Amino acid sequence: MFDSFLFLLTGTFPSGLSGHADCTKSDLEWTLNDLFAEGKNILALEEAAGIAKQKLGLPEDFKYGLTVTLYQLSKMNTDFGDINGDGKSESTVTPQDKVAIIKWYMDQFEAKYAEYDFKNIDFIGYYWYSEGIYPENGDVDVLKEVSKEVHSRGVDFFWIPWYNAPGVNIWDEVGFDSACMQPNYVFDETVPDDRIKNAVNTILNYGMGIEIEIGGSALSNDTLYRRYVEYLAGGSEFGYMKNCIHMYYQEIDCYGKAALSKDAKTRYIYDITYEFIKGTLSTAPEKLETIKLTAEKNTVLDAVIAQDSEILCSYDCVVQPEAGSASVSKDGKLLFFPEKDFVGTVTVGYTYNEGMGDSEICYIEITVE
């Protein structure tokens, strides 16, 4: 489904430092060795990309994109490690110190990358790990210089800030080629329901793309499941399904688990994500055939009209019967109250929703005898 992949640290470096806080020379050397370790990371991607190309019938010269992370450096580290062989450990106190270390890391990565003749992947850019821009840490000056260096190497510079993070209003000024903001909506049930709409406002104001996020809990928690569906539905409602850069975050193997699942509800996550990526996702489910029921005169009809489906649906009564009244609960239970002594046929109209948009009006035909 995806055309490029980003490699970044999860957890901490061997030193115990976090990628968004600080690192040492030995941490970055370990990272480089891990990136190019046999049977994993970049080399595993090269192999998997070759298999995918063959199975999908892609052209021989097609290559998947590869992006590599540049990690945060604090402004207090006076013992980063010696990068130039002069016997002195580098400092990260000034912006110039940080830029020199980042250039060294890029040199080291690109030298290792050049040792391989990759047929299925292509290095396309660097990603800035910190999800906020903090002028007090010298980030603006550092980023402007780093972006110049990145572009001098003929690749792009990417950023994925958290929701309304510091610096979202200046992402292009500091030199990023694209920024995709995280709505941070799918991980926490307490986040307000209007988060997607508000995130879109920020994205449109500053010309950014959007990150589509999914956590492992969304496959088992119905509230978070619906929230993920809302990310994709928002693409149709607010216009970011097409002509917009998307980046995707998944907790380990969520999409893979969804693709292989025998459970229709879980598999649905994969199917609608694929359609969203292709720009073909329809938010309105298909109109259902008319349901025909029989009721007794002067007797309340209690019936289940919900589809026999594991996909989470909600229902709503939108057209009342000609004689009597009716209600349809969210979980698809019909209650029909016929007028006193009425005999004949009435029609009830309802819509249903699979988490993205309402269907056309569907009908229930009730014959009262």
Side-chain angles (χ1 to χ4, degrees):
M1 296 196 295
F2 307 108
D3 59 8
S4 60
F5 299 87
L6 164 65
F7 285 91
L8 56 77
L9 174 76
T10 58
T12 58
F13 289 110
S15 66
L17 295 170
S18 173
H20 59 76
D22 201 5
C23 58
T24 65
K25 179 189 176 190
S26 61
D27 286 333
L28 294 184
E29 290 173 329
W30 171 85
T31 300
L32 289 169
N33 289 331
D34 192 57
L35 281 173
F36 290 94
E38 194 66 36
K40 58 190 289 190
N41 294 327
I42 291 176
L43 300 187
L45 177 62
E46 165 72 4
E47 181 180 358
I51 294 171
K53 281 171 59 176
Q54 183 178 27
K55 290 185 177 293
L56 295 173
L58 297 175
E60 186 66 26
D61 61 353
F62 176 85
K63 291 187 177 183
Y64 289 92
L66 164 68
T67 300
V68 173
T69 299
L70 300 176
Y71 294 98
Q72 185 81 351
L73 297 168
S74 79
K75 63 177 182 179
M76 298 178 290
N77 189 346
T78 57
D79 190 21
F80 173 82
D82 179 14
I83 64 172
N84 53 20
D86 64 358
K88 297 180 181 179
S89 185
E90 316 303 331
S91 165
T92 63
V93 174
T94 70
Q96 293 77 15
D97 293 334
K98 294 179 181 179
V99 172
I101 290 170
I102 292 168
K103 287 182 179 180
W104 166 82
Y105 180 69
M106 288 192 281
D107 288 341
Q108 299 300 305
F109 166 76
E110 291 175 28
K112 277 186 172 290
Y113 183 82
E115 294 174 9
Y116 298 85
D117 182 21
F118 291 113
K119 304 294 186 184
N120 305 309
I121 60 176
D122 184 34
F123 172 55
I124 63 171
Y126 288 103
Y127 166 72
W128 188 249
Y129 191 87
S130 177
E131 297 177 357
I133 298 173
Y134 303 95
E136 65 272 20
N137 291 336
D139 286 359
V140 172
D141 292 334
V142 170
L143 283 167
K144 286 182 177 180
E145 289 304 311
V146 171
S147 68
K148 291 177 185 177
E149 183 65 25
V150 169
H151 295 139
S152 75
R153 296 166 186 249
V155 294
D156 289 333
F157 200 19
F158 304 105
W159 189 44
I160 311 176
W162 45 267
Y163 176 69
N164 285 344
V168 294
N169 59 322
I170 59 170
W171 68 269
D172 52 347
E173 296 175 23
V174 298
F176 291 115
D177 293 288
S178 65
C180 291
M181 193 178 77
Q182 311 165 33
N184 300 139
Y185 182 57
V186 77
F187 307 107
D188 184 353
E189 295 182 47
T190 66
V191 173
D193 292 341
D194 60 359
R195 171 60 62 83
I196 296 292
K197 179 181 178 181
N198 291 336
V200 168
N201 288 336
T202 301
I203 287 165
L204 291 176
N205 283 341
Y206 299 118
M208 295 186 288
I210 189 169
E211 179 174 78
I212 306 298
E213 307 159 300
I214 186 168
S217 297
L219 300 181
S220 56
N221 178 304
D222 286 351
T223 298
L224 301 182
Y225 179 95
R226 288 191 180 96
R227 289 193 163 201
Y228 178 74
V229 174
E230 288 176 34
Y231 274 76
L232 306 187
S236 178
E237 181 179 356
F238 300 115
Y240 59 75
M241 181 167 68
K242 299 179 180 180
N243 302 316
C244 177
I245 296 174
H246 308 138
M247 298 181 186
Y248 293 79
Y249 169 84
Q250 61 163 336
E251 290 184 359
I252 297 175
D253 206 24
C254 287
Y255 292 126
K257 290 175 182 176
L260 297 174
S261 179
K262 302 299 183 183
D263 173 65
K265 173 187 163 198
T266 305
R267 169 68 194 201
Y268 183 64
I269 290 291
Y270 177 85
D271 291 336
I272 60 175
T273 303
Y274 176 83
E275 292 174 5
F276 177 86
I277 292 171
K278 294 297 183 183
T280 61
L281 180 65
S282 174
T283 58
E286 294 181 356
K287 180 179 179 179
L288 301 177
E289 293 184 1
T290 298
I291 299 171
K292 296 185 178 183
L293 300 173
T294 302
E296 293 184 17
K297 184 176 69 172
N298 297 328
T299 301
V300 175
L301 173 63
D302 185 348
V304 175
I305 63 164
Q307 302 177 77
D308 184 16
S309 171
E310 297 177 31
I311 298 171
L312 293 178
C313 295
S314 61
Y315 297 79
D316 187 28
C317 184
V318 294
V319 178
Q320 286 294 314
E322 298 87 345
S325 63
S327 66
V328 177
S329 64
K330 285 189 175 182
D331 58 356
K333 294 178 181 178
L334 167 72
L335 285 178
F336 168 61
F337 302 85
E339 284 186 358
K340 183 179 180 181
D341 297 330
F342 172 79
V343 174
T345 300
V346 296
T347 301
V348 176
Y350 71 96
T351 58
Y352 75 102
N353 187 312
E354 293 178 340
M356 292 186 284
D358 290 337
S359 66
E360 293 183 40
I361 298 176
C362 309
Y363 293 99
I364 308 164
E365 187 179 283
I366 305 171
T367 300
V368 182
E369 300 175 342

